[in-house]
């Protein structure tokens, strides 16, 4: 498939947002705040805009995770760290990671990029998507690099909310969605399955469901119908992400130019080990500076 403007936009913002998951500085700050272990930091940091949400809400909104995997962290995390403190730790971790992993980028350029993202987000402000709205309602940071990170976060959650709508519209469950994507991309099961809590039996059952609907064959390889199904879901995800991208269509090339040095640092990493692993559970590809 030819990359759509909406997917191109996602490739610009997803690695910036993902600093909070993969930079060791972020995990250190979460642990200092009481969220010991990677997954407490993940669920606490990402769910904090929702307030002290219960496990049921997180299972629904963090669609790709097994419910028992979520329940091991939620609601226990809120006994260790309040949502407000988790939000503070999330920003403090990004701030610390930025200083280590990102070479100097002109602050005025970062401020401009953050403004472009704010325009994009506000163009969709009436869109009642839960993760998007929860993050949009937060006060944007004043420091340009943090404002950029915040804008990227708001808009990646907008796309993520839309992706769940697209999967639901085509009757694809959470484990099935993972199996279908890996069959389409050819990435190894180990790049995703251990990080979402699905057992071998869950995975086999998902393969069976996809086989029964003709999406994969008896060897687990994707079929023509499976390719069409996957691509249809991605096309609907793009369509549901169109409003904010359309609002900044004339600024998209400028945004890409501004954030390219940031992406280069996060993926190619001239000063330190790369922050974002490839392949990764989000499915975002390595930044290509060409």
């Amino acid at each position: 498939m030819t990359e759509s403007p909406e997917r191109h936009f996602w490739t610009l913002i997803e690695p910036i947002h993902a600093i909070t998951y993969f930079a060791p500085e972020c995990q250190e700050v979460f642990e200092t705040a009481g969220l010991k272990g990677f997954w407490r930091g993940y669920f606490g940091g990402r769910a904090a805009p929702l307030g002290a949400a219960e496990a049921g809400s997180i299972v629904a909104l963090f669609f790709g995770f097994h419910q028992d995997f979520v329940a091991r962290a939620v609601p226990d995390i809120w006994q260790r760290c309040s949502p407000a403190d988790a939000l503070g730790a999330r920003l403090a971790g990004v701030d610390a990671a930025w200083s280590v992993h990102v070479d100097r980028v002109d602050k005025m350029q970062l401020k401009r990029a953050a403004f472009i993202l704010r325009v994009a987000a506000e163009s969709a402000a009436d869109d009642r998507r839960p993760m998007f709205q929860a993050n949009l309602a937060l006060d944007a940071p004043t420091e340009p690099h943090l404002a950029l990170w915040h804008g990227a976060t708001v808009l990646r959650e907008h796309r993520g909310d839309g992706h769940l709508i697209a999967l639901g519209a085509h009757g694809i469950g959470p484990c099935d969605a993972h199996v279908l994507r890996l069959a389409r991309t050819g990435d190894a099961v180990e790049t995703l399955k251990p990080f979402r809590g699905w057992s071998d039996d869950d995975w086999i059952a998902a393969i069976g469901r996809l086989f029964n609907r003709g999406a994969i064959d008896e060897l687990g390889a994707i079929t023509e119908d499976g390719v069409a199904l996957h691509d249809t879901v991605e096309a609907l995800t793009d369509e549901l992400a169109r409003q904010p991208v359309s609002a900044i269509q004339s600024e998209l090339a400028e945004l890409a130019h501004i954030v390219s040095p940031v992406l280069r640092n996060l993926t190619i990493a001239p000063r330190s080990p790369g922050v974002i692993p490839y392949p990764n559970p989000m499915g975002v590809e390595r930044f290509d500076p060409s």
Side-chain angles (χ1 to χ4, degrees), residues 3-246:
E3 186 175 67
S4 66
E6 293 80 19
R7 187 169 181 84
H8 173 59
F9 177 70
W10 174 69
T11 66
L12 298 177
I13 63 171
E14 183 71 15
I16 295 172
H17 164 76
I19 294 171
T20 190
Y21 307 136
F22 296 112
E25 297 78 13
C26 293
Q27 184 173 349
E28 289 170 8
V29 175
F30 279 134
E31 294 206 352
T32 298
L35 298 173
K36 304 293 185 181
F38 174 84
W39 288 110
R40 289 193 182 100
Y42 174 88
F43 286 112
R46 190 174 172 215
L50 300 165
E54 295 293 322
S57 299
I58 305 304
V59 167
L61 296 176
F62 294 19
F63 178 77
F65 291 89
H66 191 286
Q67 61 186 19
D68 292 344
F69 195 79
V70 176
R72 286 198 288 271
V74 183
D76 172 71
I77 50 175
W78 308 129
Q79 304 303 314
R80 300 167 181 267
C81 181
S82 71
D85 287 344
L87 285 173
R90 185 169 78 156
L91 273 184
V94 172
D95 188 35
W98 193 280
S99 66
V100 172
H101 299 284
V102 181
D103 279 323
R104 291 184 180 179
V105 180
D106 183 78
K107 280 194 173 185
M108 292 305 295
Q109 289 284 292
L110 294 178
K111 187 175 182 180
R112 170 64 178 162
F115 174 77
I116 292 171
L117 295 185
R118 190 69 186 179
V119 169
E122 289 179 349
S123 77
D126 289 336
D127 196 337
R128 298 294 191 255
R129 304 187 195 192
M131 290 299 295
F132 167 66
Q133 284 292 337
N135 282 277
L136 183 65
L138 300 174
D139 291 334
T142 56
E143 282 294 320
H145 64 291
L146 296 179
L148 174 63
W149 179 85
H150 174 75
T153 297
V154 170
L155 288 160
R156 72 87 66 172
E157 296 291 15
H158 179 273
R159 183 180 176 92
D161 286 339
H163 188 54
L164 302 194
I165 295 170
L167 289 168
H170 290 280
I172 301 174
C175 192
D176 302 42
H178 297 321
V179 174
L180 182 64
R181 176 165 76 81
L182 294 184
R184 180 70 169 99
T185 63
D187 290 336
V189 172
E190 291 74 20
T191 65
L192 182 57
K193 179 173 169 283
F195 307 109
R196 295 296 181 263
W198 301 101
S199 69
D200 291 342
D201 288 344
D202 294 326
W203 207 260
I204 292 168
I207 291 172
R209 289 189 292 270
L210 290 170
F211 174 78
N212 289 338
R213 66 188 295 179
I216 58 176
D217 64 21
E218 61 275 7
L219 298 178
I222 197 163
T223 63
E224 290 186 4
D225 287 347
V227 170
L229 176 61
H230 178 272
D231 291 354
T232 298
V233 170
E234 290 302 311
L236 180 53
T237 300
D238 286 345
E239 181 181 340
L240 294 170
R242 188 156 297 152
Q243 174 58 47
V245 179
S246 295

